[in-house]
Amino acid sequence: MPELPEVETVRKVLLPIVKGRTIKSIEVLREKTIISGAKEFQKALENQTFLDVTRIGKFLIFHLTNDLVFISHLRMEGKYFEYNEGEEHRKYARVIFHLDNNKKLVYDDSRCFGIMKLTSEKDYRNDKEIAQLGPEPFQIKDADYFIDRCKKSTHPIKSTLLDQTLMTGLGNIYADEVLFASKINPFIKAKDITKKQWEEIVKNAVRILNEAIEMGGSTIKSYHPGKDIDGNFQTVIKAYGKRYEDCPNCGSKFHFTTIGGRGSTYCPFCQPLKQDKLIVAITGKIASGKSTVLANLKDKGYPILSCDTIVHDLYMNSDFQRKLIEKLDIKFEAGFNINELRLMVAKDKKLKKKLEQFVHPFVYDIIAQEYSRFDKGIFFVEVPLLYESHGEDKFDFVIALDINENEQMERLKKRNLSSSSLLKVINMNNKFDSYKSKVDFIINNDSTPDKLNGQINLILNKLKLLLN
Ligand SMILES: [Zn+2]
């Protein structure tokens, strides 16, 4: 979906193409695109001359002679193309304006969400959708406007910025960018945004939109000289869509979440949200020292939980055993036996998957229950199979333990592993490499306990900044 800078770019490219040109005739290939009626649109606009193209929000406003105006909204995929007469247009052409210079302006829309509407100089500002649009950031001079309008709003600031009746101009991409530049967490309630923060939002919105408009103008001219006027160009985006990438300010991983149904990317440390409590997962390679870290945190007084313990307790529970037998449709020689179950899943990959899909929700339920009983501070959970069980979104942060292979093998020798278990370790290491780039913090547990403790303390200090 084009955002305001793209539409402004389209406007700038269209203006010299149409200004002063008279419409000889209009072909309407899809009548529904013209919501004010196709026949009337053709009749009114044929033989009229384009005087100007302006923009309100994401509406393009075409001004013609005789005080005629038509509004165009591109929605998802609408585009304008300029062709020579006789040149073949794309199959998505919906409306064709034949101009008096042997060229045609083609409105092209593969998904048909875009609309056109005939109106007049007197009426276009009162058009229902245009009339309800709020001011653009460029027009806002005093942040009291927002304080006044949002004083009771408990909506997150991210959704508030997308509300085009409050301010028009920021879509999902630029709302993320503006919040990142303003160092404001997208979850903060609109009523809690201070006047100074609103001023930052407006200032950054103006700057970012202007930069995108400037860049759009130059990009589009450089590779589509007025031909494909859709304005879908690349802009310098710092935060939007950068989940798991490093924040350019502080190096932390960008986080991704959904707010009001829209994906939102933000840096949890540059855009902090003070909370009473945090839940943090600890994962990593086999024999990398997860339990040592957990013990260290326990010694420091932090509440901890281990998935291995949870799973162990679950298997001891007769109610759980009964449900498991029923769900997996398996039989034991003489009642539930964990070793027998292990043998069964070792031979049967499908059964293993079924077992995991059955067990993981129980484990995450127990973690959630335990966490809900806890009111303040940081809660740590050891989750060896965090990514394999797609549990990463259940935690505020993820810490992973890494270790070099020699050290890992030394430790495993002490555990007397069989060769098949060693193979499993190698597989796990491969998996670790695939999710290593996604975790918030990596602890390298290759050296002394002191150094390990130092790394843990650094992480704790950073996390504590987010606590109330
Ligand atoms: Zn950051």
Side-chain angles (χ1 to χ4, degrees):
M1 167 110 66
E3 292 213 18
L4 184 143
E6 286 86 342
V7 179
E8 175 60 16
T9 302
V10 172
R11 185 195 73 78
K12 282 184 168 174
V13 177
L14 273 174
L15 184 60
I17 291 173
V18 300
K19 195 171 177 178
R21 298 266 69 95
T22 299
I23 301 169
K24 286 171 74 181
S25 64
I26 300 173
E27 262 178 87
V28 179
L29 302 172
R30 183 177 179 276
E31 295 205 349
K32 278 187 183 162
T33 296
I34 300 167
I35 57 171
S36 55
K39 290 273 170 315
E40 198 197 356
F41 187 88
Q42 279 168 307
K43 215 175 128 200
L45 295 176
E46 281 174 1
N47 299 316
Q48 304 297 335
T49 302
F50 286 102
L51 299 175
D52 200 0
V53 185
T54 59
R55 178 189 58 75
I56 299 178
K58 293 201 285 181
F59 289 89
L60 290 164
I61 320 285
F62 293 82
H63 302 263
L64 295 104
T65 38
N66 272 335
D67 284 339
L68 289 164
V69 167
F70 77 88
I71 299 169
S72 163
H73 198 301
L74 306 172
R75 304 275 188 231
M76 304 292 283
E77 291 289 335
K79 297 173 174 67
Y80 282 94
F81 290 89
E82 186 201 32
Y83 293 99
N84 292 322
E85 282 296 0
E87 210 180 330
E88 201 177 334
H89 50 252
R90 300 190 343 146
K91 62 176 175 180
Y92 305 118
R94 305 301 174 198
V95 181
I96 304 174
F97 299 87
H98 294 282
L99 305 176
D100 63 352
N101 57 347
N102 212 23
K103 302 226 173 192
K104 56 184 181 182
L105 178 70
V106 175
Y107 177 70
D108 175 293
D109 194 347
S110 58
R111 298 184 64 186
C112 296
F113 288 120
I115 56 112
M116 279 181 201
K117 187 178 183 179
L118 178 70
T119 171
S120 67
E121 286 296 342
K122 187 166 65 69
D123 291 331
Y124 78 92
R125 284 177 189 280
N126 301 324
D127 180 82
K128 210 177 114 214
E129 280 185 87
I130 289 179
Q132 68 180 14
L133 290 178
E136 291 186 4
F138 313 105
Q139 300 159 330
I140 295 168
K141 297 289 171 253
D142 188 350
D144 279 334
Y145 165 77
F146 292 108
I147 300 282
D148 202 45
R149 291 274 305 257
C150 300
K151 60 186 172 221
K152 286 184 186 151
S153 171
T154 54
H155 291 295
I157 182 64
K158 171 67 189 278
S159 314
T160 305
L161 292 184
L162 294 178
D163 173 4
Q164 303 297 305
T165 66
L166 178 69
M167 173 167 74
T168 185
L170 296 184
N172 208 31
I173 298 173
Y174 295 108
D176 276 6
E177 291 301 305
V178 166
L179 287 175
F180 177 67
S182 310
K183 299 190 185 311
I184 296 170
N185 188 280
F187 283 103
I188 293 176
K189 290 177 184 144
K191 69 181 175 64
D192 296 331
I193 300 288
T194 63
K195 186 171 176 185
K196 220 177 150 204
Q197 286 178 315
W198 278 118
E199 285 166 353
E200 273 298 295
I201 288 174
V202 174
K203 189 185 86 186
N204 286 312
V206 168
R207 177 181 59 80
I208 289 169
L209 290 176
N210 274 333
E211 277 173 14
I213 289 167
E214 257 170 55
M215 199 170 294
S218 57
T219 315
I220 204 159
K221 262 180 247 148
S222 66
Y223 80 93
H224 275 311
K227 190 121 222 183
D228 174 0
I229 318 162
D230 67 349
N232 275 325
F233 46 81
Q234 290 285 317
T235 50
V236 177
I237 297 293
K238 290 208 168 90
Y240 174 83
K242 306 251 180 201
R243 180 181 205 182
Y244 299 137
E245 287 182 38
D246 295 343
C247 165
N249 295 344
C250 74
S252 306
K253 293 278 176 227
F254 274 115
H255 277 200
F256 175 84
T257 185
T258 306
I259 302 174
R262 307 298 300 274
S264 301
T265 311
Y266 64 100
C267 171
F269 294 101
C270 291
Q271 298 165 262
L273 178 70
K274 293 270 185 180
Q275 279 164 281
D276 286 340
K277 58 178 184 175
L278 295 171
I279 182 164
V280 178
I282 298 177
T283 190
K285 290 180 176 176
I286 294 179
S288 56
K290 293 188 286 293
S291 328
T292 316
V293 172
L294 219 61
N296 176 299
L297 291 163
K298 196 181 173 193
D299 285 347
K300 291 189 165 96
Y302 289 98
I304 57 158
L305 201 59
S306 157
C307 281
D308 288 344
T309 316
I310 296 174
V311 172
H312 179 263
D313 292 349
L314 274 173
Y315 282 128
M316 306 288 275
N317 180 312
S318 56
D319 200 37
F320 176 81
Q321 292 172 0
R322 211 190 48 216
K323 282 183 190 157
L324 184 145
I325 292 170
E326 203 181 287
K327 185 78 192 175
L328 267 61
D329 196 18
I330 47 175
K331 282 194 178 64
F332 290 95
E333 280 176 18
F336 182 88
N337 179 319
I338 186 74
N339 288 326
E340 215 178 314
L341 179 66
R342 279 199 187 115
L343 281 175
M344 282 186 227
V345 296
K347 281 186 248 157
D348 185 343
K349 269 193 178 167
K350 264 192 188 159
L351 186 67
K352 182 167 182 269
K353 190 146 195 194
K354 239 170 135 183
L355 176 70
E356 285 168 351
Q357 280 170 349
F358 175 74
V359 176
H360 292 154
F362 279 92
V363 175
Y364 285 119
D365 269 359
I366 291 169
I367 294 171
Q369 277 168 33
E370 293 292 321
Y371 185 54
S372 70
R373 278 196 247 159
F374 166 81
D375 343 290
K376 237 174 150 22
I378 312 171
F379 189 79
F380 291 93
V381 190
E382 182 191 359
V383 195
L385 299 175
L386 179 71
Y387 290 93
E388 291 82 349
S389 60
H390 307 290
E392 64 268 36
D393 289 338
K394 296 177 173 32
F395 297 88
D396 294 312
F397 291 93
V398 178
I399 300 173
L401 269 104
D402 196 5
I403 190 163
N404 69 50
E405 262 170 49
N406 290 340
E407 186 75 23
Q408 188 185 28
M409 288 306 157
E410 280 306 309
R411 288 178 189 215
L412 286 167
K413 271 186 206 156
K414 290 180 195 153
R415 294 190 187 176
N416 280 327
L417 283 191
S418 63
S419 63
S420 76
S421 303
L422 281 171
L423 208 71
K424 213 169 129 194
V425 171
I426 292 159
N427 282 334
M428 289 286 289
N429 285 352
N430 292 340
K431 276 187 190 145
F432 180 81
D433 287 334
S434 72
Y435 67 70
K436 193 177 172 181
S437 62
K438 298 179 180 175
V439 306
D440 295 294
F441 304 100
I442 291 198
I443 293 179
N444 285 304
N445 191 13
D446 292 336
S447 62
T448 63
D450 263 1
K451 284 203 174 139
L452 177 68
N453 188 47
Q455 293 181 72
I456 295 170
N457 286 340
L458 277 178
I459 296 172
L460 287 172
N461 289 341
K462 218 171 160 188
L463 291 175
K464 279 191 245 170
L465 294 173
L466 301 180
L467 289 177
N468 275 321

